[in-house]
Amino acid sequence: MPYYFVHTNKPNRKVVIHLSTCSFCNNGNGVQKKIHGDSNSKWYPQDGTGYSTLEEALTVAQKSARQLNAISQCCKVCI
Ligand SMILES: [Zn+2]
C-alpha cells in the first residue's frame, strides 16, 4: 500500500501531498539527489516512512502551509 508524503517548497510557497509511488515523490526522496541538503525543499516525514492516511498528510501539509504562508494542495499526477 502506498504512503503519503508532504513536500514543502519555500521559495515557491507550495506544499504538495504526494503518494510514495509518485515519480515526483520517489518515496520521499524527490527527484533531486541532495534533497536533504536543500533547506528550501523538504519532505515530510523526514525519516522517509510516509503517512499512512491522507488525513494525516493533510494535517501536516496545512500546518506547514501556515508556517510558510503557502498554499497546500494534492499532487495532480498521483492523487
Ligand atoms: Zn505526486
Side-chain angles (χ1 to χ4, degrees), residues 7-15 32 38-42 64 67-71:
H7 181 242
T8 65
N9 188 301
K10 214 173 177 180
N12 290 342
R13 289 191 170 177
K14 261 187 170 179
V15 177
Q32 297 159 350
D38 186 353
S39 60
N40 290 323
S41 171
K42 284 199 174 79
S64 302
Q67 285 170 351
L68 297 176
N69 193 22
I71 41 165

Side-chain angles (χ1 to χ4, degrees), residues 10-24:
K10 214 173 177 180
N12 290 342
R13 289 191 170 177
K14 261 187 170 179
V15 177
V16 184
I17 301 169
H18 291 277
L19 280 172
S20 56
T21 51
C22 178
S23 58
F24 293 107

Side-chain angles (χ1 to χ4, degrees), residues 35-77:
I35 202 86
H36 296 296
D38 186 353
S39 60
N40 290 323
S41 171
K42 284 199 174 79
W43 287 94
Y44 296 96
Q46 293 201 294
D47 60 6
T49 52
Y51 302 109
S52 51
T53 64
L54 181 59
E55 285 73 21
E56 210 179 335
L58 267 171
T59 304
V60 174
Q62 283 162 359
K63 194 182 162 197
S64 302
R66 274 199 302 273
Q67 285 170 351
L68 297 176
N69 193 22
I71 41 165
S72 63
Q73 60 190 74
C74 292
C75 174
K76 291 180 177 69
V77 179

